[in-house]
Amino acid sequence: MADNKALELEKVHESELDNAPAEDYAAKAIDGRHLHRRLEARHLAMIALGGTIGTGLFVGSGSTISVAGPAGVLIAYSVVGVMVYAVVTALGEMATQVPCSGAFGELSTRFLDPALGFTLGWNYYFQWLLTLPAELSAIGQIPVFWFPNVQPWVFTLIGLILLLGLNLLGVKAYGEVEYWLSLLKIVSIVIFILISTAIACGANRELGTIGFRNWNGSQIAGAPITSALAVMSCFTNAFYSYGGSELIGVTAGEAKNPKVSVPRAIKGTFWRIALFYLASLFLVGLIIPMDDPLLANTDVRTSPFTRVLGYAGVSGGPDIMNFIILVSIFSAANGAIYASTRTLQSLAANKNAPTFLVYTTKAGVPVVSIAITTFFGALALIGAYVGSGVVFNFLVNILSVSTLVCWCCIMGTHLNFRYAWRKQGRKDEELIFRAPFFPYFDIVGLLIGGIVLGYFIYNAASQPFDIVADAPYYAGLPLFVVPFLGYKVFQYMKDKKLSFGVDAMAMDFDSNENGGIYENAEDETLEKIETDNSVWSRIVRALA
């Protein structure tokens, strides 16, 4: 039914769209061609659980253990995990009430400050634009494990072509592919946890019962935690690893049933943090001693997850784990293209980017945004010449600050969202989904963000300049500061005055609920998977 309605709209507006003058193109495109709501509840559930698990966990986690120790890493990831949960629940409340693709800029524009919305939208776009080369550079490294005579850039190019073709198929294809890739990652990590538990308990006769042997500071210098500053240094990789947790807010604009599926998917975030990150890192820290020379290596082929399977004596263990890591990184790169293109299109729809970027095909594919994003993703090919490890570390450092700023803005927007909601005489019970522990989670999250950002600045000021280590400060922070100041200057030149914030009584919680560049959501009826009592449906509901 939704497909027929969309086709009727396209026929009615086709000629009007093609003959529209440039300045009216965005408005005509919004009416005629738009993003389609094709993501089902099961897609969102799996994307929330495992959609962005990639290089941060599988590759970067080993180096953090070598720096801070096994207990230090758990502290860092737990602290950032609290912030992640605060961000996702805050975003879930807003995105469920006003479901829109590329939600961050649009929500901040409406509920906090247009300049911040402009800045956050572009900052988030660049965040994913830089994530893509990081993931692609890792994709180029892994197949060298099996084909040592082939240059990494060849595999990077193949991965880029596959990702481009997949994203041109439409959001339904994206959701379906991510569903199965995320399921593979989830199953693999669960199996990894079981195998690792067995090894720690003595399944490997040569190693014996490991237990907390590698946490013994009298045998391994620095174990189980080196220092408070070392723990703080782990935040860089922790933010990068958790980056993408907020992706559920982007998918809301293309979800069939956002008021039902988004809250359900968000509830799965807790398990993603507790099971997939903390449990995995805990077991890696038990099995591999922090003074292992290979632990600090960011080469994908020597991932600590790969080495644990080697300890288990699994036949072809390294091959199996490297394949799973390759799939995971491909999935994360796929999510990077999806998030960046939807964010760019949302910016254009709100006249914060050239209006031709709004254009979509009849299938709801934003081809112009995809083409531009893919072009910049091709910069990952430079990694073949500079060194993939150098490129990876450089991008991780930039993205960590970008992610931190983005999350702080989401929580700040949520505080103002709820303030305006109440000031307009609305009751919290009227919200479709309510973030738990409001406003304490937002406040704690902002405190964590402020402390970590303070450490980043302190560390840069107290250490000799390093082009890779100091990337967050000369490249990451300007991604936020420059657009914000630029918007305010342009606003002053245009209106001859400066304004800050949005009047709480003027904030619109009701009109244009679906954002404008998406077809209307279907009636809020439960999908089959929500009511089906088959074993598979119950497993998906339990995971979500």
Side-chain angles (χ1 to χ4, degrees), residues 335-382:
I337 292 181
Y338 173 83
S340 56
T341 54
R342 269 52 179 187
T343 302
L344 185 59
Q345 192 197 27
S346 179
L347 285 166
N350 288 295
K351 298 181 180 180
N352 288 327
T355 54
F356 68 86
L357 295 171
V358 176
Y359 177 81
T360 64
T361 65
K362 292 182 179 180
V365 180
V367 287
V368 181
S369 296
I370 289 176
I372 292 174
T373 300
T374 305
F375 170 77
F376 284 102
L379 295 176
L381 296 174
I382 297 174

Side-chain angles (χ1 to χ4, degrees), residues 7-327:
L7 288 172
E8 289 174 7
L9 279 172
E10 285 154 10
K11 289 178 182 179
V12 169
H13 294 287
E14 184 73 30
S15 60
E16 186 180 6
L17 174 65
D18 293 336
N19 296 323
E23 62 270 18
D24 294 333
Y25 183 79
K28 301 293 185 183
I30 290 171
D31 287 337
R33 291 176 177 171
H34 42 63
L35 300 177
H36 294 172
R37 292 188 179 272
R38 297 290 184 270
L39 293 176
E40 300 176 6
R42 63 186 180 91
H43 295 147
L44 267 67
M46 284 299 178
I47 289 171
L49 282 166
T52 55
I53 295 175
T55 51
L57 178 63
F58 289 124
V59 181
S61 57
S63 62
T64 57
I65 294 174
S66 69
V67 170
V73 167
L74 289 179
I75 293 172
Y77 273 76
S78 297
V79 170
V80 178
V82 171
M83 187 176 181
V84 170
Y85 194 66
V87 168
V88 173
T89 53
L91 179 61
E93 179 177 300
M94 295 185 291
T96 304
Q97 201 69 34
V98 186
C100 52
S101 188
F104 313 107
E106 197 162 331
L107 291 172
S108 293
T109 295
R110 183 179 295 199
F111 300 117
L112 194 55
D113 189 291
L116 185 65
F118 172 83
T119 303
L120 189 55
W122 278 108
N123 186 74
Y124 194 67
Y125 174 68
F126 284 121
Q127 177 182 323
W128 281 109
L129 196 65
L130 294 174
T131 298
L132 183 57
E135 303 292 355
L136 284 170
S137 66
I139 287 176
Q141 295 179 58
I142 299 177
V144 177
F145 180 82
W146 300 292
F147 307 100
N149 296 324
V150 181
Q151 292 295 319
W153 69 265
V154 175
F155 301 111
T156 296
L157 181 60
I158 293 172
L160 185 62
I161 293 172
L162 290 174
L163 288 166
L164 175 61
L166 178 60
N167 278 270
L168 289 175
L169 292 177
V171 70
K172 178 73 173 181
Y174 164 77
E176 203 63 40
V177 169
E178 282 303 302
Y179 175 80
W180 292 107
L181 293 183
S182 296
L183 181 61
L184 174 63
K185 286 188 281 186
I186 291 168
V187 171
S188 301
I189 292 178
V190 170
I191 293 174
F192 172 83
I193 289 173
L194 295 175
I195 292 175
S196 300
T197 302
I199 295 173
C201 293
N204 186 320
R205 294 183 179 180
E206 294 182 6
L207 296 175
T209 301
I210 298 175
F212 287 88
R213 184 169 63 201
N214 292 325
W215 289 44
N216 190 336
S218 63
Q219 297 183 24
I220 301 175
I225 178 172
T226 53
S227 68
L229 288 178
V231 172
M232 295 290 288
S233 69
C234 293
F235 284 123
T236 300
N237 193 71
F239 277 109
Y240 176 73
S241 300
Y242 283 126
S245 299
E246 73 290 332
L247 187 60
I248 195 68
V250 178
T251 60
E254 293 176 274
K256 280 186 176 181
N257 235 342
K259 294 180 180 180
V260 174
S261 55
V262 172
R264 178 178 289 276
I266 284 171
K267 293 174 184 176
T269 304
F270 173 80
W271 298 109
R272 181 172 181 256
I273 295 170
L275 181 63
F276 303 144
Y277 284 93
L278 299 183
S280 298
L281 290 173
F282 171 71
L283 290 165
V284 168
L286 285 182
I287 296 170
I288 303 179
M290 63 172 288
D291 59 356
D292 188 312
L294 291 178
L295 198 59
N297 194 338
T298 56
D299 190 326
V300 179
R301 293 164 292 176
T302 57
S303 162
F305 288 76
T306 301
R307 298 184 61 220
V308 166
L309 284 190
Y311 283 132
V314 177
S315 178
D319 296 279
I320 295 171
M321 198 66 225
N322 277 331
F323 173 75
I324 293 169
I325 294 174
L326 179 61
V327 168

